[in-house]
Amino acid sequence: MIGASFKIDGKITSEENLVIEGTVKGSITAKNSEVVVGASGSLTANILAKIVRVEGTVKGNISGDENGIITKTGNVLGNIDSPRVSLEDGAKIKGSIAMDLDDASVTDLPVSSSAISNPIALELKLAQKPPEVWLFN
């Protein structure tokens, strides 16, 4: 555990589960373990771990080999890359989420080719205002 009063500037490598309540600038690697950024944790770092759970603030990219979890108190400014990603109601993220998908599952989606070939037309249809309706007594 890295306590709330700790401030670390550098690279952290761990083979054990890690809970961070303090401030870290740099990078964190725990390929076979879980990294938990506690509610008081504040990171400006990239995180690579088996499981990443964010309850505090992370400015950096997150890579979870198994799972990425952003709790309702979590705040992430960066990209998340993990096969499974969970965002609790209230979680804040500004960045992209990439989930590894099996290629077969992508080609099996029941989406018409016209919707894929012309996404702008689909967007315009969704943005059109419905006709006004007047009711008279």
Side-chain angles (χ1 to χ4, degrees), residues 8-13 25-29:
I8 297 174
D9 191 351
K11 180 178 179 180
I12 298 173
T13 304
K25 292 182 181 179
S27 67
I28 299 169
T29 303

Side-chain angles (χ1 to χ4, degrees), residues 29-125:
T29 303
K31 290 186 179 183
N32 299 315
S33 305
E34 179 177 8
V35 172
V36 176
V37 179
S40 65
S42 178
L43 278 67
T44 303
N46 293 327
I47 304 170
L48 170 61
K50 185 175 181 180
I51 299 170
V52 180
R53 180 179 180 87
V54 178
E55 298 169 2
T57 302
V58 174
K59 293 178 184 174
N61 296 326
I62 295 172
S63 181
D65 287 340
E66 191 176 290
N67 199 357
I69 304 159
I70 313 303
T71 67
K72 63 184 178 181
T73 59
N75 190 340
V76 175
L77 176 60
N79 302 322
I80 301 172
D81 185 10
S82 180
R84 291 181 17 219
V85 175
S86 301
L87 300 174
E88 291 183 0
D89 188 23
K92 295 175 182 74
I93 175 173
K94 185 171 185 179
S96 67
I97 297 175
M99 299 172 69
D100 296 333
L101 296 174
D102 181 45
D103 289 340
S105 65
V106 173
T107 59
D108 292 343
L109 291 175
V111 178
S112 70
S113 61
S114 63
I116 294 172
S117 65
N118 196 354
I120 295 171
L122 178 62
E123 184 178 324
L124 290 174
K125 287 180 185 177

